[in-house]
Amino acid sequence: MALQATEPEVPLDTAGGAGATAAGRRDRLRFLRNPKTVTGLAILGVFVLLAVAGSWLAPHDPSARGDELLQPPSWQHPFGTTQTGQDIFSQILVGTRGVLVVGFLAAAIATVLGVIVGVTAGYLGGVGDDLLSSVSNVFLVIPGLPLIIIITSLLPDTNDLTIALVIGLTSWAWGARVLRAQTLSLRGRDYVQAARATGESTWRIIVCELLPNLTPVIASGFVGTVIFAVLAEITLAFIGVADISHWNWGTVLFWAQNNQALAQDAWWWFVPAGLCIALLGTALSLINFGIDEFVNPRLRSQGRAGRGVRMRVGFTPVVRAPRGTPVRDAPRTGTIRKDSQP
């Protein structure tokens, strides 16, 4: 028979002021220590660098035609050429800027609108909440991508700024609903009630008390909106709604599809753009997962419990009680094994 004595566990960060301070610093750096976050930020940093310096790093003019028609990847053309001799590597580099500009600008617009509508509706309540919630529900039931396609096709100019504005103005409703629900759970907290009792203004309570506690949710919604905006912008270019004379990854796929690159086994024409889309989406998803693990108490407690179990495994001493010793007289630490034979 084996019995194991249990003792209450003492958190490591309560041992003293220095330990608590060190634990606080570790908590603040947990987000940057997360492998998912580090990987996502590294991949995203590479794309940002290409977006900034892509036009200078491009070895050729992406629109210039050449004599090497539909050639596979080589040292001179790392991603091969099109059927008109254009360098695909230069098209990918130059097109990175448009993808990121549209993605981040549209996400910024949608996030600002979502914060204004969601937090205001959740905190004020009453008629204002009903009106803003009704507007959000209308935008939620309308399919987002078809609405973007219809609006963009009706506009005379479809540059990056116009596309970002259309995507941002039609993609804020989901974030607003999430922020409204979070605000409803926060407006009854003690610190909010204390701020009201001291006569703080409504906007100061929203800005100084509510928004700091909603920052992780806002950041997660921003990253998710970037992913949607990037895919929407590439879709518009791929179906020919956007300006196909302006290079981005969707434009590369548009010309590859129109010239039947797949039928000609010209895999190098569409695979690089597809890989870039997949890598950018993976980077943003990893950052989103890192934010979720950072702000989710359940995920944090599971991680700490797992680390605690791994630290304790293999360090439990085994104490054998002499034969005939009652269990109540045995040592109270470690694992007690009592021989069953007399």
Side-chain angles (χ1 to χ4, degrees):
M1 181 178 62
L3 299 177
Q4 184 172 358
T6 59
E7 297 181 356
E9 296 184 359
V10 179
L12 295 178
D13 56 357
T14 60
T21 304
R25 286 196 297 265
R26 289 195 298 269
D27 289 340
R28 288 192 295 268
L29 295 176
R30 185 189 302 113
F31 176 71
L32 296 178
R33 292 205 315 268
N34 192 323
K36 297 178 182 178
T37 305
V38 174
T39 304
L41 289 175
I43 299 175
L44 181 60
V46 173
F47 282 113
V48 171
L49 179 62
L50 294 179
V52 173
S55 57
W56 292 284
L57 296 176
H60 305 279
D61 183 357
S63 301
R65 301 186 178 187
D67 298 331
E68 301 180 8
L69 308 181
L70 209 62
Q71 295 297 313
S74 61
W75 288 108
Q76 187 177 2
H77 302 283
F79 290 169
T81 61
T82 67
Q83 67 176 8
T84 58
Q86 296 172 331
D87 183 61
I88 300 176
F89 181 66
S90 300
Q91 295 176 356
I92 296 294
L93 290 179
V94 175
T96 305
R97 179 180 301 175
V99 172
L100 293 187
V101 167
V102 171
F104 281 94
L105 181 58
I109 296 172
T111 302
V112 171
L113 291 176
V115 169
I116 293 175
V117 175
V119 177
T120 303
Y123 182 77
L124 296 180
V127 179
D129 183 17
D130 295 337
L131 180 61
L132 293 176
S133 297
S134 300
V135 176
S136 300
N137 293 334
V138 170
F139 277 89
L140 281 176
V141 298
I142 299 176
L145 187 58
L147 177 62
I148 295 172
I149 294 174
I150 293 174
I151 296 176
T152 309
S153 61
L154 296 176
L155 295 176
D157 187 12
T158 55
N159 53 27
D160 290 340
L161 180 59
T162 304
I163 293 175
L165 288 174
V166 172
I167 296 175
L169 293 175
T170 56
S171 307
W172 56 269
W174 178 255
R177 295 292 294 178
V178 174
L179 289 173
R180 175 184 176 273
Q182 294 294 326
T183 305
L184 287 174
S185 66
L186 290 177
R187 71 177 184 179
R189 301 291 177 88
D190 293 338
Y191 61 90
V192 177
Q193 297 297 330
R196 285 178 176 177
T198 57
E200 298 290 348
S201 63
T202 300
W203 295 111
R204 192 179 188 284
I205 294 175
I206 292 176
V207 174
C208 299
E209 303 294 343
L210 294 179
L211 287 183
N213 293 280
L214 294 173
T215 301
V217 180
I218 296 173
S220 179
F222 175 82
V223 174
T225 309
V226 172
I227 298 176
F228 173 77
V230 167
L231 294 178
E233 196 261 346
I234 291 174
T235 302
L236 292 176
F238 178 71
I239 64 178
V241 174
D243 186 6
I244 58 176
S245 63
H246 181 74
W247 288 107
N248 59 58
W249 301 340
T251 308
V252 176
L253 295 177
F254 169 82
W255 289 113
Q257 190 270 340
N258 274 11
N259 291 281
Q260 300 181 351
L262 184 61
Q264 301 183 56
D265 293 332
W267 56 267
W268 57 87
W269 199 342
F270 55 86
V271 167
L275 288 178
C276 289
I277 297 171
L279 284 175
L280 181 59
T282 301
L284 295 172
S285 298
L286 289 175
I287 296 174
N288 206 356
F289 294 154
I291 295 174
D292 189 23
E293 293 182 4
F294 176 71
V295 302
N296 194 330
R298 181 176 299 177
L299 295 178
R300 290 206 306 267
S301 61
Q302 290 177 354
R304 289 177 179 176
R307 290 194 297 270
V309 170
R310 289 195 296 270
M311 291 175 61
R312 289 193 293 270
V313 169
F315 292 97
T316 304
V318 177
V319 181
R320 289 186 178 275
R323 294 182 179 181
T325 303
V327 175
R328 63 177 179 272
D329 298 332
R332 305 299 296 174
T333 59
T335 302
I336 304 171
R337 295 184 179 177
K338 181 176 175 63
D339 296 337
S340 60
Q341 298 180 359

